[in-house]
Amino acid sequence: SFEEAYQASLAYFGGDELAARVWVNKYALKDSFGNIFEKSPADMHWRIANEVARIENKYKNPISAEEVFELLDHFKYIVPAGSPMTGIGNHHQVASLSNCFVIGLDGDADSYGAILRVDEEQVQLMKRRGGVGHDLSHLRPKGSPVNNSALTSTGLVPFMERYSNSTREVAQDGRRGALMLSVSIKHPDSEAFIDAKMTEGKITGANVSVKIDDEFMRCATEDREYVQQFPIDSATPQVTKDISARKLWEKIVHNAWKSAEPGVLFWDTIIRESIPDCYADLGFRTVSTNPCGEIPLCPYDSCRLLSINLYSYVVNPFTDKAYFNYELFRKHVALAQRIMDDIVDMELEKIDQIMAKIKTDPQSDEVKSTEYHLWEKIKRKSGMGRRTGVGITAEGDMIAAMGLRYGTQEATDFSVEVHKTLALAAYRSSVEMAKERGAFEIYDTKREENNPFINRIKEADPQLYEDMAKYGRRNIACLTIAPTGTTSLMTQTTSGIEPVFMPVYKRRRKVNPNDADVHVDFVDEVGDSFEEYIVYHRKFIEWMRINGIDTEKKYTQEELDELVAKSPYYKATANDVDWLMKVRMQGAIQKWVDHSISVTINLPNNVDEALVNRLYVEAWKSGCKGCTVYRDGSRSGVMIAVEKKK
Ligand code: UDP
């Protein structure tokens, strides 16, 4: 039955083997015995559309299953992320629809009990398919006194190992759980945290990010001393430590250059811009992010993600008559926001099912209590804020289809216009829903008065702000840009706001040299024969077709290079885009995204540390909430590096 579904999906995806395989393995409805109940994505899209319609029918002006299906069909306009795609209407699994969770201290102080509880909660969430983040800044630094037989504490690193190992234990249908560990640069152990992954094979089950404040960045760039302390936010700290900010910064840069981690989170920017933090005293104080960084969260909140396929709004793509259909886009953004709000309701139902299941588990109440309480806390906060993660994918293809070159000022200006349109349409939709369905329960105009994001909305659309003040808003925060790892395989486009990785490259496949119709291009050292074939980025083929270029011909490398040079993807790929411009583009787009943006700056192997330093500093100055770099070949076992070797 795998074969049957695979063949049907292969046809659906136009022969795209990777897309078909990923779809059948990850998203087709199956039971725990491996029986597959969906033959192609169309079945899945009807499953999702029917569920959305079921929720819609509880409210005024419901949208129909047919309307929703049209938006989902062929991943053309609206694409729910992995967790909702698998989980919606799936009665074979008791799992969450959320892609992102953050957990942490819950009123209790640093203690072994709390450390173990977080460990247990992390596993329980991963078991139900969520990505998890938590912050370690509350753990006392190495050498601090503890009131037990250990006498002094071991510091952060052993706990990082614990949480990393727990992550590696939990399998999620053929994938590992994903974990983000963060710490404040103010913490006296942050240097050890930054170095922890530098030892080969250590802490492989977690992404690590440092939360960096503006004061640290000023000290680092001006070469001044910086004071670390513990507790990090206490007016009367027990421990203080004067350090050279520049030295520590150089270490961050060096490690990121060497091994792609730590990522940096510009924490003051995150907090300053965060709307949920206007409700910090009600439990919405942001403490960490989900594994890929696009959703900063408070403890026990969650978020579900969905992407809008930007390529599909370019009319006459790759021609000189190309234009962006803003009207259709606005309409679909509004619907996407609605669908996301419907998915919040579905998630609350799912949590009820999870809790009911826990109750009937053949375990003692003692064993079940942490898990049960965990979901109780998550249900409370998800229901309170009704947070959504409406995002995009295919930014790079959209830019190319418009005839623009990624990384130019012109392209960035266009992107900003698109994201501004998106933000205003999503907020308008959330306000309209507040009218029909009610605002999120703690909405308070006054509290949000000084929030820079809200003020940007107000300035761009005073009427929208006025209506928001009158009716409230349905969702505490609405927008994000996720990496769209598998989503972009389904849409067959570039991912998130990334440029195309490579428009065209050669791959080798092993062949039997005795077969009559094979052409052996290469024989390796053990004598195996290989045939070379060309892999085109899907939208690059589109560009070829539209421009009357033969897509079947076997081109030489030189000819391929010439083709790329003629296309709008020229000097606009991950490896040759102007990186500084890319960072500035991220900062400019960030102004219209209330959560964060997940981006990786891909760099060729031969760049130096000074460049990484410039990119990180520019990211801070441009208003980015975070930044990650990946230098080609800097981490073993990363697929990207393997693919590059033709
Ligand atoms: N995620 C996860 N495990 C994975 C992939 C993703 O937990 O293997 C979570 C994580 O929080 C990440 C988010 O899902 O930040 C979104 O990832 P992505 O956009 O790549 O999702 P996809 O396109 O695969 O649905």
Side-chain angles (χ1 to χ4, degrees):
S1 91
F2 171 90
E3 204 44 39
E4 206 186 332
Y6 176 72
Q7 289 306 332
S9 328
L10 199 58
Y12 184 98
F13 286 111
D16 186 334
E17 294 170 10
L18 184 60
R21 195 157 12 92
V22 169
W23 183 78
V24 180
N25 283 333
K26 289 183 84 164
Y27 303 123
L29 188 67
K30 21 182 138 35
D31 64 17
S32 45
F33 307 103
N35 297 311
I36 300 176
F37 302 102
E38 285 172 340
K39 261 225 293 246
S40 90
D43 296 339
M44 173 186 77
H45 286 144
W46 276 116
R47 160 166 57 88
I48 298 171
N50 285 324
E51 276 294 284
V52 172
R54 178 176 67 79
I55 302 289
E56 280 285 324
N57 280 325
K58 297 199 309 194
Y59 299 110
K60 281 185 200 146
N61 306 315
I63 39 178
S64 68
E66 288 71 22
E67 271 175 278
V68 179
F69 181 83
E70 289 299 308
L71 296 168
L72 305 174
D73 191 23
H74 281 84
F75 305 94
K76 189 164 181 195
Y77 298 116
I78 292 182
V79 191
S83 287
M85 208 146 66
T86 324
I88 291 175
N90 182 343
H91 303 297
H92 298 282
Q93 277 184 356
V94 185
S96 158
L97 304 179
S98 299
N99 307 72
C100 320
F101 293 93
V102 161
I103 54 179
L105 287 193
D106 194 20
D108 38 18
D110 170 26
S111 69
Y112 238 114
I115 288 165
L116 295 175
R117 196 201 67 227
V118 166
D119 194 10
E120 184 175 348
E121 289 180 339
Q122 183 193 302
V123 169
Q124 299 293 9
L125 289 175
M126 286 175 176
K127 195 178 84 184
R128 307 274 178 207
R129 219 187 21 229
V132 182
H134 52 96
D135 187 63
L136 305 179
S137 306
H138 61 279
L139 297 178
R140 66 195 83 178
K142 187 172 176 146
S144 310
V146 284
N147 289 326
N148 61 30
S149 59
L151 296 179
T152 61
S153 98
T154 56
L156 298 184
V157 177
F159 298 111
M160 295 171 79
E161 290 180 38
R162 162 191 292 279
Y163 295 130
S164 160
N165 290 339
S166 294
T167 305
R168 294 180 55 84
E169 280 169 20
V170 193
Q172 302 174 327
D173 304 314
R175 67 171 215 205
R176 298 273 151 216
L179 175 67
M180 168 68 87
L181 294 176
S182 62
V183 83
S184 165
I185 196 77
K186 229 179 166 60
H187 192 286
D189 276 2
S190 58
E191 181 170 354
F193 177 93
I194 288 159
D195 273 338
K197 285 191 80 166
M198 294 303 281
T199 315
E200 190 80 31
K202 272 213 161 181
I203 316 190
T204 51
N207 298 341
V208 297
S209 282
V210 212
K211 306 198 297 190
I212 293 180
D213 54 71
D214 290 344
E215 173 63 8
F216 179 84
M217 285 308 287
R218 280 190 293 267
C219 290
T221 47
E222 293 158 21
D223 199 7
R224 284 190 284 117
E225 280 207 334
Y226 175 81
V227 187
Q228 293 180 324
Q229 64 171 62
F230 188 83
I232 59 155
D233 47 11
S234 163
T236 52
Q238 298 148 13
V239 182
T240 59
K241 192 170 153 191
D242 289 350
I243 60 150
S244 157
R246 172 146 308 169
K247 277 216 175 105
L248 189 54
W249 176 248
E250 279 169 359
K251 176 160 261 175
I252 292 171
V253 167
H254 171 78
N255 291 7
W257 173 85
K258 186 118 207 267
S259 74
E261 281 191 286
V264 289
L265 296 167
F266 296 113
W267 204 250
D268 282 341
T269 309
I270 288 180
I271 298 300
R272 195 165 44 236
E273 291 272 331
S274 165
I275 303 167
D277 278 82
C278 303
Y279 304 88
D281 57 319
L282 301 177
F284 281 86
R285 192 170 75 90
T286 303
V287 299
S288 193
T289 77
N290 70 320
C292 303
E294 69 275 16
I295 306 279
L297 286 168
C298 54
Y300 304 101
D301 204 352
S302 64
C303 197
R304 296 130 298 272
L305 309 176
L306 161 157
S307 295
I308 300 174
N309 181 353
L310 292 178
Y311 176 80
S312 301
Y313 299 91
V314 182
V315 185
N316 307 321
F318 300 115
T319 69
D320 48 16
K321 292 192 195 65
Y323 67 93
F324 192 80
N325 189 344
Y326 280 103
E327 201 188 318
L328 186 68
F329 182 58
R330 272 190 210 99
K331 197 176 138 205
H332 285 183
V333 170
L335 290 167
Q337 185 63 37
R338 250 184 108 108
I339 290 171
M340 281 261 77
D341 189 66
D342 296 336
I343 295 176
V344 174
D345 280 8
M346 291 180 207
E347 172 70 343
L348 295 173
E349 292 175 357
K350 288 274 183 192
I351 295 176
D352 280 341
Q353 289 165 17
I354 292 172
M355 287 167 70
K357 169 117 192 348
I358 296 167
K359 269 196 172 153
T360 59
D361 268 354
Q363 311 221 50
S364 69
D365 286 347
E366 208 180 320
V367 168
K368 292 192 291 196
S369 73
T370 302
E371 191 182 5
Y372 192 84
H373 186 48
L374 164 68
W375 287 104
E376 227 168 24
K377 289 185 285 188
I378 288 173
K379 187 181 172 192
R380 177 84 193 101
K381 215 158 263 181
S382 308
M384 218 168 157
R386 303 190 65 87
R387 202 189 281 267
T388 66
V390 171
I392 57 91
T393 191
E395 183 101 26
D397 282 333
M398 169 190 76
I399 289 171
M402 288 289 289
L404 299 168
R405 199 173 304 285
Y406 192 107
T408 59
Q409 190 59 49
E410 214 188 346
T412 298
D413 291 346
F414 170 67
S415 281
V416 170
E417 201 47 43
V418 168
H419 287 278
K420 178 179 174 184
T421 306
L422 195 165
L424 294 173
Y427 269 67
R428 168 55 74 191
S429 175
S430 192
V431 169
E432 294 299 321
M433 279 192 287
K435 264 195 230 175
E436 291 177 354
R437 307 179 173 189
F440 70 92
E441 66 179 75
I442 51 173
Y443 175 78
D444 178 354
T445 312
K446 194 111 193 83
R447 279 175 177 265
E448 297 182 357
E449 226 169 40
N450 296 319
N451 179 271
F453 186 87
I454 292 292
N455 282 324
R456 241 169 262 136
I457 297 268
K458 183 179 179 179
E459 202 185 308
D461 188 345
Q463 185 61 49
L464 168 57
Y465 184 77
E466 221 175 274
D467 290 347
M468 186 154 73
K470 191 161 160 201
Y471 302 105
R473 195 173 65 241
R474 181 70 170 161
N475 314 94
I476 193 166
C478 304
L479 311 164
T480 188
I481 299 180
T484 66
T486 46
T487 302
S488 62
L489 296 179
M490 300 295 107
T491 54
Q492 302 176 296
T493 63
T494 55
S495 58
I497 63 162
E498 300 289 357
V500 68
F501 188 66
M502 275 189 288
V504 46
Y505 53 97
K506 281 187 181 166
R507 267 204 197 142
R508 283 175 183 156
R509 104 181 109 215
K510 208 161 150 181
V511 288
N512 181 348
N514 302 321
D515 284 352
D517 55 351
V518 308
H519 183 271
V520 176
D521 294 297
F522 177 77
V523 180
D524 71 6
E525 57 274 15
V526 297
D528 284 342
S529 301
F530 293 84
E531 183 178 36
E532 278 183 346
Y533 63 106
I534 302 169
V535 182
Y536 293 105
H537 173 60
R538 276 288 157 145
K539 298 302 181 259
F540 187 77
I541 303 189
E542 219 34 51
W543 170 80
M544 288 170 78
R545 274 202 201 114
I546 288 166
N547 288 279
I549 299 164
D550 187 355
T551 55
E552 301 298 324
K553 190 179 152 190
K554 197 157 183 184
Y555 292 99
T556 65
Q557 189 57 49
E558 230 179 15
E559 288 169 330
L560 288 176
D561 292 345
E562 273 170 31
L563 276 182
V564 173
K566 274 195 270 177
S567 80
Y569 292 101
Y570 182 58
K571 294 247 179 265
T573 72
N575 269 313
D576 61 14
V577 71
D578 177 339
W579 305 296
L580 221 52
M581 278 301 291
K582 186 181 170 189
V583 166
R584 288 184 191 136
M585 169 182 167
Q586 182 192 337
I589 291 175
Q590 183 65 71
K591 303 272 183 305
W592 295 104
V593 179
D594 55 11
H595 288 110
S596 193
I597 303 177
S598 172
V599 223
T600 300
I601 309 172
N602 281 288
L603 301 169
N605 183 271
N606 61 2
V607 302
D608 59 12
E609 293 181 36
L611 177 74
V612 174
N613 174 56
R614 269 174 67 209
L615 294 173
Y616 271 9
V617 172
E618 187 62 32
W620 172 57
K621 288 186 178 159
S622 310
C624 297
K625 291 186 180 177
C627 194
T628 339
V629 296
Y630 176 79
R631 189 171 58 89
D632 194 19
S634 64
R635 218 193 263 175
S636 54
V638 175
M639 201 182 71
I640 289 167
V642 178
E643 277 194 350
K644 277 223 68 185
K645 293 188 209 117
K646 294 177 203 123

